[in-house]
Amino acid sequence: GQNIDQPTEMTATEGAIVQINCTYQTSGFNGLFWYQQHAGEAPTFLSYNVLDGLEEKGRFSSFLSRSKGYSYLLLKELQMKDSASYLCAVRDSNYQLIWGAGTKLIIKP
Amino acid sequence: EPEVTQTPSHQVTQMGQEVILRCVPISNHLYFYWYRQILGQKVEFLVSFYNNEISEKSEIFDDQFSVERPDGSNFTLKIRSTKLEDSAMYFCASSGRVEAFFGQGTRLTVV
């Protein structure tokens, strides 16, 4: 079966750095996505990795290792507004998005 | 910036009634999706739509559900004979070649 694992919840301090890990086992691979979702709102796109390596976009970076079935999202200079759920999703061989359950990130002052 | 629009934002319906959730995808996108998210749970794929037909559907998407693209812009999800467990946020999304963009969702409450 297809499976995406990420931690249920993480806590970090304002101004610090946090890394959210995601491991996946899917039928084929056509890219990995990170989305941010505030409570009661729609997921919003953060990043996309299809090749191994690091993609940097401002305070957010995402890393992919296809051989390990592993990705992480790195958030720097954390702000209170970064408190949200972070969803890892993989597009499989049928071009369907397979979703993880999300990691709830709590930022403390 | 183009966006996916969903209506209504909130729908309350009695068990057994039919509901139609509406979506206007981004105009130059070719792939359309419906997802649902039960409160506190993960996003679940329902169905994808491409070239005016269903391209993929999940086990959740049974005979109770149907999708239509009645004109060039709207994309609808019909839920027949709603059940209490259909209460959830329903998200429409559309995509071009890469990421999917989500609408703000319709919160469906079945009472």
Side-chain angles (χ1 to χ4, degrees), chain A residues 30-68:
Chain A
N30 282 295
L32 185 143
F33 299 81
W34 284 96
Y35 281 81
Q36 180 190 60
Q37 187 178 27
H38 286 98
E41 298 182 11
T44 55
F45 170 75
L46 287 178
S47 69
Y48 168 69
N49 294 71
V50 67
L51 300 176
D52 291 351
L54 189 68
E55 293 283 340
E56 296 187 79
K57 192 188 281 190
R59 294 189 298 115
F60 294 0
S61 304
S62 57
F63 172 83
L64 174 67
S65 169
R66 288 172 295 170
S67 62
K68 295 181 180 177

Side-chain angles (χ1 to χ4, degrees), chain A residues 18-106:
Chain A
V18 71
Q19 177 175 311
I20 303 174
N21 296 323
C22 169
T23 57
Y24 63 89
Q25 293 174 308
T26 55
S27 304
F29 178 84
N30 282 295
L32 185 143
F33 299 81
W34 284 96
Y35 281 81
Q36 180 190 60
Q37 187 178 27
H38 286 98
E41 298 182 11
T44 55
F45 170 75
L46 287 178
S47 69
Y48 168 69
N49 294 71
V50 67
L51 300 176
D52 291 351
L54 189 68
E55 293 283 340
E56 296 187 79
K57 192 188 281 190
R59 294 189 298 115
F60 294 0
S61 304
S62 57
F63 172 83
L64 174 67
S65 169
R66 288 172 295 170
S67 62
K68 295 181 180 177
Y70 167 70
S71 172
Y72 67 72
L73 179 70
L74 190 72
L75 293 79
K76 302 176 187 175
E77 300 170 17
L78 286 170
Q79 302 174 9
M80 297 303 292
K81 68 178 182 180
D82 296 330
S83 292
S85 287
Y86 291 85
L87 312 178
C88 174
V90 173
R91 190 157 58 192
D92 68 8
S93 56
N94 292 324
Y95 271 72
Q96 297 307 314
L97 281 175
I98 311 300
W99 293 86
T103 298
K104 184 178 179 181
L105 178 63
I106 299 168

Side-chain angles (χ1 to χ4, degrees), chain A residues 94-96, chain B residues 28-34 45 47-57 67-69 75 93 95-97:
Chain A
N94 292 324
Y95 271 72
Q96 297 307 314
Chain B
N28 62 347
H29 283 179
L30 299 177
Y31 300 89
F32 313 117
Y33 312 88
W34 281 102
F45 167 73
V47 65
S48 59
F49 197 83
Y50 172 72
N51 203 25
N52 288 323
E53 61 183 26
I54 291 174
S55 54
E56 198 81 24
K57 60 182 180 179
V67 289
E68 270 192 345
R69 194 139 193 259
F75 180 50
S95 71
R97 292 180 60 81

